[in-house]
mmCIF file with all atom_site columns, all heavy atoms in Angstrom:
data_model
loop_
_atom_site.group_PDB
_atom_site.id
_atom_site.type_symbol
_atom_site.label_atom_id
_atom_site.label_alt_id
_atom_site.label_comp_id
_atom_site.label_asym_id
_atom_site.label_entity_id
_atom_site.label_seq_id
_atom_site.pdbx_PDB_ins_code
_atom_site.Cartn_x
_atom_site.Cartn_y
_atom_site.Cartn_z
_atom_site.occupancy
_atom_site.B_iso_or_equiv
_atom_site.pdbx_formal_charge
_atom_site.auth_seq_id
_atom_site.auth_comp_id
_atom_site.auth_asym_id
_atom_site.auth_atom_id
_atom_site.pdbx_PDB_model_num
ATOM 1  N N   . ASN A 1 84  ? -34.191 12.661 -11.030 1.00 89.00 ? 764  ASN A N   1
ATOM 2  C CA  . ASN A 1 84  ? -33.858 14.042 -10.678 1.00 89.00 ? 764  ASN A CA  1
ATOM 3  C C   . ASN A 1 84  ? -33.861 14.255 -9.163  1.00 89.00 ? 764  ASN A C   1
ATOM 4  O O   . ASN A 1 84  ? -32.999 14.942 -8.623  1.00 89.00 ? 764  ASN A O   1
ATOM 5  C CB  . ASN A 1 84  ? -34.834 15.016 -11.335 1.00 89.00 ? 764  ASN A CB  1
ATOM 6  C CG  . ASN A 1 84  ? -34.539 15.179 -12.818 1.00 89.00 ? 764  ASN A CG  1
ATOM 7  O OD1 . ASN A 1 84  ? -33.522 14.701 -13.309 1.00 89.00 ? 764  ASN A OD1 1
ATOM 8  N ND2 . ASN A 1 84  ? -35.425 15.839 -13.528 1.00 89.00 ? 764  ASN A ND2 1
ATOM 9  N N   . GLU A 1 114 ? -19.560 16.642 -13.178 1.00 92.00 ? 794  GLU A N   1
ATOM 10 C CA  . GLU A 1 114 ? -19.655 17.437 -11.946 1.00 92.00 ? 794  GLU A CA  1
ATOM 11 C C   . GLU A 1 114 ? -19.236 16.635 -10.715 1.00 92.00 ? 794  GLU A C   1
ATOM 12 O O   . GLU A 1 114 ? -19.286 17.143 -9.599  1.00 92.00 ? 794  GLU A O   1
ATOM 13 C CB  . GLU A 1 114 ? -21.088 17.956 -11.771 1.00 92.00 ? 794  GLU A CB  1
ATOM 14 C CG  . GLU A 1 114 ? -21.428 19.067 -12.756 1.00 92.00 ? 794  GLU A CG  1
ATOM 15 C CD  . GLU A 1 114 ? -22.864 19.551 -12.634 1.00 92.00 ? 794  GLU A CD  1
ATOM 16 O OE1 . GLU A 1 114 ? -23.551 19.165 -11.666 1.00 92.00 ? 794  GLU A OE1 1
ATOM 17 O OE2 . GLU A 1 114 ? -23.308 20.307 -13.516 1.00 92.00 ? 794  GLU A OE2 1
ATOM 18 N N   . LYS A 1 273 ? -56.196 13.448 -43.127 1.00 89.00 ? 953  LYS A N   1
ATOM 19 C CA  . LYS A 1 273 ? -56.479 14.849 -42.777 1.00 89.00 ? 953  LYS A CA  1
ATOM 20 C C   . LYS A 1 273 ? -56.068 15.139 -41.336 1.00 89.00 ? 953  LYS A C   1
ATOM 21 O O   . LYS A 1 273 ? -55.723 16.249 -40.978 1.00 89.00 ? 953  LYS A O   1
ATOM 22 C CB  . LYS A 1 273 ? -57.978 15.138 -42.939 1.00 89.00 ? 953  LYS A CB  1
ATOM 23 C CG  . LYS A 1 273 ? -58.393 15.416 -44.366 1.00 89.00 ? 953  LYS A CG  1
ATOM 24 C CD  . LYS A 1 273 ? -58.055 16.838 -44.780 1.00 89.00 ? 953  LYS A CD  1
ATOM 25 C CE  . LYS A 1 273 ? -58.120 16.993 -46.293 1.00 89.00 ? 953  LYS A CE  1
ATOM 26 N NZ  . LYS A 1 273 ? -57.122 17.894 -46.831 1.00 89.00 ? 953  LYS A NZ  1
ATOM 27 N N   . GLU A 1 274 ? -56.164 14.124 -40.497 1.00 88.00 ? 954  GLU A N   1
ATOM 28 C CA  . GLU A 1 274 ? -55.868 14.331 -39.065 1.00 88.00 ? 954  GLU A CA  1
ATOM 29 C C   . GLU A 1 274 ? -54.507 13.773 -38.690 1.00 88.00 ? 954  GLU A C   1
ATOM 30 O O   . GLU A 1 274 ? -54.306 13.353 -37.552 1.00 88.00 ? 954  GLU A O   1
ATOM 31 C CB  . GLU A 1 274 ? -56.959 13.665 -38.229 1.00 88.00 ? 954  GLU A CB  1
ATOM 32 C CG  . GLU A 1 274 ? -58.289 14.350 -38.365 1.00 88.00 ? 954  GLU A CG  1
ATOM 33 C CD  . GLU A 1 274 ? -59.379 13.603 -37.626 1.00 88.00 ? 954  GLU A CD  1
ATOM 34 O OE1 . GLU A 1 274 ? -59.266 13.483 -36.410 1.00 88.00 ? 954  GLU A OE1 1
ATOM 35 O OE2 . GLU A 1 274 ? -60.322 13.146 -38.284 1.00 88.00 ? 954  GLU A OE2 1
ATOM 36 N N   . THR A 1 277 ? -53.086 15.045 -35.493 1.00 82.00 ? 957  THR A N   1
ATOM 37 C CA  . THR A 1 277 ? -53.882 15.076 -34.267 1.00 82.00 ? 957  THR A CA  1
ATOM 38 C C   . THR A 1 277 ? -54.456 13.719 -33.872 1.00 82.00 ? 957  THR A C   1
ATOM 39 O O   . THR A 1 277 ? -54.941 13.568 -32.775 1.00 82.00 ? 957  THR A O   1
ATOM 40 C CB  . THR A 1 277 ? -55.070 16.045 -34.409 1.00 82.00 ? 957  THR A CB  1
ATOM 41 O OG1 . THR A 1 277 ? -55.636 15.879 -35.699 1.00 82.00 ? 957  THR A OG1 1
ATOM 42 C CG2 . THR A 1 277 ? -54.641 17.474 -34.211 1.00 82.00 ? 957  THR A CG2 1
ATOM 43 N N   . GLU A 1 475 ? -42.939 23.901 -36.293 1.00 91.00 ? 1155 GLU A N   1
ATOM 44 C CA  . GLU A 1 475 ? -44.110 24.730 -36.554 1.00 91.00 ? 1155 GLU A CA  1
ATOM 45 C C   . GLU A 1 475 ? -44.312 24.939 -38.057 1.00 91.00 ? 1155 GLU A C   1
ATOM 46 O O   . GLU A 1 475 ? -45.415 24.773 -38.582 1.00 91.00 ? 1155 GLU A O   1
ATOM 47 C CB  . GLU A 1 475 ? -43.865 26.061 -35.850 1.00 91.00 ? 1155 GLU A CB  1
ATOM 48 C CG  . GLU A 1 475 ? -45.000 27.017 -35.837 1.00 91.00 ? 1155 GLU A CG  1
ATOM 49 C CD  . GLU A 1 475 ? -44.584 28.293 -35.081 1.00 91.00 ? 1155 GLU A CD  1
ATOM 50 O OE1 . GLU A 1 475 ? -43.861 28.197 -34.079 1.00 91.00 ? 1155 GLU A OE1 1
ATOM 51 O OE2 . GLU A 1 475 ? -44.983 29.375 -35.534 1.00 91.00 ? 1155 GLU A OE2 1
ATOM 52 N N   . SER B 2 52  ? -27.250 23.633 -11.293 1.00 87.00 ? 754  SER B N   1
ATOM 53 C CA  . SER B 2 52  ? -27.188 22.195 -11.527 1.00 87.00 ? 754  SER B CA  1
ATOM 54 C C   . SER B 2 52  ? -27.822 21.514 -10.327 1.00 87.00 ? 754  SER B C   1
ATOM 55 O O   . SER B 2 52  ? -27.492 21.846 -9.193  1.00 87.00 ? 754  SER B O   1
ATOM 56 C CB  . SER B 2 52  ? -25.738 21.739 -11.665 1.00 87.00 ? 754  SER B CB  1
ATOM 57 O OG  . SER B 2 52  ? -25.598 20.410 -11.189 1.00 87.00 ? 754  SER B OG  1
ATOM 58 N N   . ARG B 2 79  ? -42.517 36.168 -28.093 1.00 91.00 ? 781  ARG B N   1
ATOM 59 C CA  . ARG B 2 79  ? -43.798 35.812 -28.702 1.00 91.00 ? 781  ARG B CA  1
ATOM 60 C C   . ARG B 2 79  ? -44.723 35.176 -27.674 1.00 91.00 ? 781  ARG B C   1
ATOM 61 O O   . ARG B 2 79  ? -45.905 35.508 -27.590 1.00 91.00 ? 781  ARG B O   1
ATOM 62 C CB  . ARG B 2 79  ? -43.556 34.834 -29.867 1.00 91.00 ? 781  ARG B CB  1
ATOM 63 C CG  . ARG B 2 79  ? -44.823 34.397 -30.534 1.00 91.00 ? 781  ARG B CG  1
ATOM 64 C CD  . ARG B 2 79  ? -44.573 33.515 -31.719 1.00 91.00 ? 781  ARG B CD  1
ATOM 65 N NE  . ARG B 2 79  ? -44.311 32.140 -31.324 1.00 91.00 ? 781  ARG B NE  1
ATOM 66 C CZ  . ARG B 2 79  ? -44.104 31.161 -32.191 1.00 91.00 ? 781  ARG B CZ  1
ATOM 67 N NH1 . ARG B 2 79  ? -44.086 31.403 -33.472 1.00 91.00 ? 781  ARG B NH1 1
ATOM 68 N NH2 . ARG B 2 79  ? -43.890 29.937 -31.770 1.00 91.00 ? 781  ARG B NH2 1
ATOM 69 N N   . SER B 2 144 ? -63.146 14.866 -39.384 1.00 78.00 ? 846  SER B N   1
ATOM 70 C CA  . SER B 2 144 ? -63.869 13.769 -40.016 1.00 78.00 ? 846  SER B CA  1
ATOM 71 C C   . SER B 2 144 ? -65.099 13.338 -39.218 1.00 78.00 ? 846  SER B C   1
ATOM 72 O O   . SER B 2 144 ? -66.151 13.091 -39.794 1.00 78.00 ? 846  SER B O   1
ATOM 73 C CB  . SER B 2 144 ? -62.930 12.570 -40.226 1.00 78.00 ? 846  SER B CB  1
ATOM 74 O OG  . SER B 2 144 ? -62.336 12.210 -39.008 1.00 78.00 ? 846  SER B OG  1
ATOM 75 N N   . TYR B 2 161 ? -60.405 22.367 -40.031 1.00 86.00 ? 863  TYR B N   1
ATOM 76 C CA  . TYR B 2 161 ? -59.565 21.610 -39.116 1.00 86.00 ? 863  TYR B CA  1
ATOM 77 C C   . TYR B 2 161 ? -59.120 22.581 -38.021 1.00 86.00 ? 863  TYR B C   1
ATOM 78 O O   . TYR B 2 161 ? -57.999 23.058 -37.990 1.00 86.00 ? 863  TYR B O   1
ATOM 79 C CB  . TYR B 2 161 ? -58.368 21.069 -39.905 1.00 86.00 ? 863  TYR B CB  1
ATOM 80 C CG  . TYR B 2 161 ? -57.591 19.962 -39.252 1.00 86.00 ? 863  TYR B CG  1
ATOM 81 C CD1 . TYR B 2 161 ? -56.608 19.273 -39.958 1.00 86.00 ? 863  TYR B CD1 1
ATOM 82 C CD2 . TYR B 2 161 ? -57.827 19.583 -37.937 1.00 86.00 ? 863  TYR B CD2 1
ATOM 83 C CE1 . TYR B 2 161 ? -55.879 18.255 -39.391 1.00 86.00 ? 863  TYR B CE1 1
ATOM 84 C CE2 . TYR B 2 161 ? -57.109 18.563 -37.366 1.00 86.00 ? 863  TYR B CE2 1
ATOM 85 C CZ  . TYR B 2 161 ? -56.130 17.910 -38.095 1.00 86.00 ? 863  TYR B CZ  1
ATOM 86 O OH  . TYR B 2 161 ? -55.400 16.903 -37.517 1.00 86.00 ? 863  TYR B OH  1
ATOM 87 N N   . TYR B 2 275 ? -33.494 24.479 -15.594 1.00 87.00 ? 977  TYR B N   1
ATOM 88 C CA  . TYR B 2 275 ? -34.280 24.987 -14.472 1.00 87.00 ? 977  TYR B CA  1
ATOM 89 C C   . TYR B 2 275 ? -34.033 26.467 -14.223 1.00 87.00 ? 977  TYR B C   1
ATOM 90 O O   . TYR B 2 275 ? -34.933 27.206 -13.857 1.00 87.00 ? 977  TYR B O   1
ATOM 91 C CB  . TYR B 2 275 ? -33.964 24.195 -13.207 1.00 87.00 ? 977  TYR B CB  1
ATOM 92 C CG  . TYR B 2 275 ? -34.241 22.725 -13.340 1.00 87.00 ? 977  TYR B CG  1
ATOM 93 C CD1 . TYR B 2 275 ? -33.213 21.811 -13.440 1.00 87.00 ? 977  TYR B CD1 1
ATOM 94 C CD2 . TYR B 2 275 ? -35.553 22.261 -13.388 1.00 87.00 ? 977  TYR B CD2 1
ATOM 95 C CE1 . TYR B 2 275 ? -33.476 20.462 -13.581 1.00 87.00 ? 977  TYR B CE1 1
ATOM 96 C CE2 . TYR B 2 275 ? -35.816 20.923 -13.526 1.00 87.00 ? 977  TYR B CE2 1
ATOM 97 C CZ  . TYR B 2 275 ? -34.775 20.015 -13.628 1.00 87.00 ? 977  TYR B CZ  1
ATOM 98 O OH  . TYR B 2 275 ? -35.028 18.688 -13.763 1.00 87.00 ? 977  TYR B OH  1
#
Side-chain angles (χ1 to χ4, degrees):
Chain A
N764 284 351
E794 288 178 10
K953 279 281 165 216
E954 292 175 62
T957 42
E1155 187 180 322
Chain B
S754 149
R781 179 176 81 178
S846 55
Y863 196 171
Y977 301 107

